């Protein structure tokens, strides 16, 4: 299990939350777990996403950027 950062929507500013994910291949992960009440993730649990390294306020992190089909 890995941790990637999920962009949240409808927050008024850029907000990212660490979420559990399963590594599939380089830069590709499946989002695991459940979306907490009151949050809206850009990609729901179970989605396979491509990630990119981005600089966040807490440092560099893998961020979900694109849904893969």
């Amino acid at each position: 299990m890995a941790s990637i950062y999920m962009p949240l929507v409808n927050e008024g500013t850029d907000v990212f939350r660490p979420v559990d994910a399963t590594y599939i291949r380089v830069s590709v992960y499946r989002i695991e777990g459940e979306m907490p009440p009151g949050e809206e993730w850009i990609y729901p649990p179970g989605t396979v996403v491509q990630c990119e390294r981005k600089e966040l306020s807490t440092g560099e992190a893998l961020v979900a950027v694109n849904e893969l089909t």
Side-chain angles (χ1 to χ4, degrees):
M1 194 72 62
S3 184
I4 64 171
Y5 280 77
M6 176 65 63
L8 303 184
V9 294
N10 298 320
E11 293 293 321
T13 186
D14 290 340
V15 178
F16 300 88
R17 166 192 238 302
V19 298
D20 290 334
T22 300
Y23 175 84
I24 297 176
R25 63 180 182 273
V26 174
S27 299
V28 177
Y29 294 81
R30 183 178 53 249
I31 301 163
E32 305 293 351
E34 296 181 16
M35 196 179 318
E39 283 188 6
E40 189 177 348
W41 297 355
I42 194 167
Y43 308 111
T47 305
V48 175
V49 294
Q50 179 180 8
C51 295
E52 292 180 357
R53 292 205 170 275
K54 294 192 177 240
E55 190 65 37
L56 304 180
S57 62
T58 57
E60 190 176 83
L62 275 176
V63 176
V65 295
N66 189 35
E67 180 177 356
L68 299 178
T69 55

